[in-house]
Each structure stands twice: as structure tokens, then as C-alpha cells.
Amino acid sequence: MARKIIIDTDPGVDDTMAIFFALRSPELDVLGLTTIFGNVAVELATTNALRLLEIAGRSDIPVAQGAHAPIAGRFNGPADFVHGADGQGNVELPPPSTHAIAQSAAEFIIEQVMAAPGEITLVPIGPLTNIALALHLEPRIAQNVREVVLMGGNAYEAGNATPTAEANIWNDPEAAEAVFAADWQVTMVGLDVTHKVNMTPEHLARYEQAQNPLAQHIARIVRFYRAFFERHYPHLQGIYVHDSSAIAYVLDPSLFQVERWPIRVELAGLGRGKTWPGVVGNVAREGALPWEGRPPVNICVGVDAERLLEMELGQLTSA
Ligand code: BDR
Ligand code: CA
């Protein structure tokens, strides 16, 4: 039976690749997309989620709109310099012909999880606000999800939004703290691995050549995203794809090397949004403050990048 997932997303170029990767994977049953501010404002995230499902011919999948701002403070603003003002590489897509459902993202997550205890994996690939809100409204979802596999955070790698913090966590550190504190199985697919998955110009050329509408859409929108990487990561040939790695983990965890430590999120100062694993040097500190009482998180620290990329490109570029 296909594995049930809900993708919480702020599409976003790499979100688009992850959503399409999931939709093209018969091992996965995408129950819904829930939207969140982040790469774009939440209203545009919802519009894009609907557009992407239309391109994929999957408008049967519901979209539920989520939070427009973090739990504490204000939205830092969109990442238009990475993903384009439209979150889709400024390609001028037509408006969607479908609408989001009336339920909020948190309500949808709660309803789905409680209706199928132990079956649903949450895959957040944006800021964690909706997940924290769902936990707050219905704490029993922690015992009733199968797993949370999130793209975000950095255990040993430097940050990308700031010198210390990864963008999804930095956009709502308080929400991330709530997610890492809850008693459920969380897997963190963060910059420690996504900065090891480099989609090269040769890989990207395969989207251009593929004759399916999903690959063609990726080929169009990735040009803007790639230009960002050329400006900001001159040592890199091509792009980091980030969000697809969370989908890859759900499909095949053996792609990754994992360490198990609790996580604390730094909430103040220069380090705001930094995810700290419960190990200092080589010394395990998980039982000591500030990690005391926290459940262990699967922290992805290594990845078979070539195998992952072949898996993703194989699914997305076949006819
Ligand atoms: C994360 O930040 C967003 O810009 C990407 O979509 C990804 O989810 C990477 O840090
Ligand atoms: Ca994202």
C-alpha cells in the first residue's frame, strides 16, 4: 500500500521539484498540500500549490491554506531573490481554476491524522508554523502520526538564511522548538545533507529534454533559481535542491546516514534559528540541559547524493 503523506509547503522552486517528485512516486499517496508563508506570502503559496496540482493533472488533491506569519513576531519577507516574485521563477503562470478548501492547514492536518492513526507522515518543507499550530490545537496528533520528515535545520553545517540558521527554521524558530520538543519521531533533513546534493547543469538538462509537463515546468522555473546559485555560490556548478531530499528520505531512508540526538533551537540573538544537536565535540549531552527530557531526532548527516539524484531524475524525466 502506498505511504500516506501530507506536504506542508511554501512553493518555491525546490518545493515544486519535491511536490512533483512525490506525485510521480507510486510508493507515495499525497493526501493533501498545506501551505505556509516562507518563500512567498501564504496566499501566493496557496495559488502556486493549486497551479502545480493542475499542471500535474492532480487537482483531486486538496489544498489547505495555513499561517501567514510566524507564532512570534513578523514574517521576515519572501525569498523573491531566490525563487522569483511569483515563487515560480517569474514565468507568469495563469491563475488556477480551482480553490483551496475551507479548512485551515492545521485543521486539515489534525482531521487527517486523527482519522488514520499511525498511518500519515507529515513532510514539512517550509517554516514549521502549521505543524506547531496543529500540535497546539490537538496534542494527540503526536501519538497518531507515523513520522515527521522535515526539510530544515543545520546540525554541523553553517546556515543559509543567516551565518548560523537555515531558512525554514529561521522563519519561525518558536514553531521549530515546539516540533522538536514534542514526543514524536522527527527526522531532520537539513543543510548537513542538502548541501551535499548538487544538481549539476548536466542533470538540469534532462528536465529540458523530458517530454512530460512536470519536467517541462521545472525546466522553465529553475532558470531563475539557478541564476541565484551562480551569483551566491560561485564554487557550485548548478543548484542545491533542498526540499526533494525530504521526499527521498520518505521513499528510501537507506540513502542517508543518520545520527540520533535531541535538538534545541536557539531563539535569541545572532544564533536565532540555529538547531543545536545534543552533542558537544564528541561528548553526548542529550541527558543534560538544555536537551534534558527531549526525544531523540533522526538527524541526516550523510547522503548518497548520486543515488538520490538518479532516483529523483528517473521519476521526473520519464515520459
Ligand atoms: C529551504 O528554504 C527555502 O527557500 C527552500 O524552499 C527550502 O525549503 C532551504 O533552506
Ligand atoms: Ca520550501
Side-chain angles (χ1 to χ4, degrees):
M1 208 173 66
R3 183 159 169 184
K4 295 176 179 165
I5 66 169
I6 296 174
I7 304 176
D8 188 73
T9 176
D10 57 339
V13 173
D14 62 322
D15 298 74
T16 301
M17 296 167 106
I19 292 165
F20 283 176
F21 183 21
L23 293 177
R24 296 272 295 189
S25 299
E27 303 88 344
L28 300 179
D29 177 8
V30 181
L31 299 181
L33 302 182
T34 53
T35 63
I36 184 69
F37 71 91
N39 294 326
V40 290
V42 71
E43 293 81 7
L44 185 50
T46 303
T47 298
N48 285 344
L50 294 166
R51 283 167 160 158
L52 295 175
L53 291 173
E54 237 174 279
I55 291 167
R58 291 302 311 275
S59 295
D60 57 301
I61 296 176
V63 173
Q65 180 161 301
H68 66 276
I71 288 174
R74 296 227 298 262
F75 174 26
N76 291 318
D80 49 2
F81 51 98
V82 185
H83 300 269
D86 65 352
Q88 296 286 294
N90 290 337
V91 296
E92 292 187 24
L93 292 169
S97 58
T98 52
H99 299 279
I101 60 173
Q103 272 178 321
S104 72
E107 288 166 349
F108 177 79
I109 289 169
I110 292 167
E111 184 191 81
Q112 295 290 317
V113 168
M114 297 311 284
E119 289 183 28
I120 297 176
T121 298
L122 302 179
V123 189
I125 54 176
L128 291 165
T129 320
N130 292 334
I131 314 301
L133 287 172
L135 260 178
H136 179 72
L137 289 170
E138 179 47 277
R140 291 179 303 164
I141 64 167
Q143 288 80 54
N144 286 281
V145 297
R146 176 163 168 180
E147 193 178 358
V148 180
V149 179
L150 65 90
M151 191 282 133
N154 52 319
Y156 306 111
E157 179 79 0
N160 60 355
T162 75
T164 51
E166 183 280 329
N168 289 339
I169 306 297
W170 178 70
N171 266 317
D172 196 341
E174 283 76 13
E177 254 296 83
V179 170
F180 288 119
D183 192 15
W184 55 7
Q185 182 56 66
V186 175
T187 295
M188 182 174 113
V189 185
L191 300 181
D192 303 287
V193 285
T194 67
H195 278 180
K196 296 185 175 98
V197 182
N198 175 199
M199 209 173 257
T200 64
E202 291 72 36
H203 290 128
L204 292 172
R206 287 168 62 182
Y207 289 110
E208 303 272 351
Q209 287 144 17
Q211 292 307 312
N212 76 67
L214 292 76
Q216 287 293 306
H217 182 71
I218 292 172
R220 280 178 77 199
I221 68 173
V222 84
R223 293 173 196 138
F224 187 97
Y225 187 73
R226 184 173 163 190
F228 163 80
F229 281 91
E230 275 167 9
R231 288 194 307 277
H232 292 268
Y233 295 80
H235 64 283
L236 189 74
Q237 287 287 306
I239 61 170
Y240 294 138
V241 280
H242 299 300
D243 291 338
S244 299
S245 291
I247 302 297
Y249 181 92
V250 179
L251 286 166
D252 186 357
S254 78
L255 288 164
F256 296 87
Q257 286 98 52
V258 165
E259 292 182 6
R260 276 173 70 75
W261 305 109
I263 292 277
R264 283 297 298 254
V265 182
E266 190 155 333
L267 298 178
L270 277 180
R272 183 164 161 79
K274 161 73 185 162
T275 47
W276 289 103
V279 57
V280 181
N282 285 329
V283 183
R285 298 294 301 272
E286 72 260 55
L289 283 173
W291 294 280
E292 207 173 33
R294 292 254 155 157
V297 171
N298 290 328
I299 303 170
C300 293
V301 293
V303 57
D304 185 340
E306 267 318 306
R307 192 154 74 83
L308 187 157
L309 286 165
E310 274 316 314
M311 198 167 134
E312 176 167 1
L313 284 156
Q315 296 285 23
L316 282 167
T317 61
S318 56

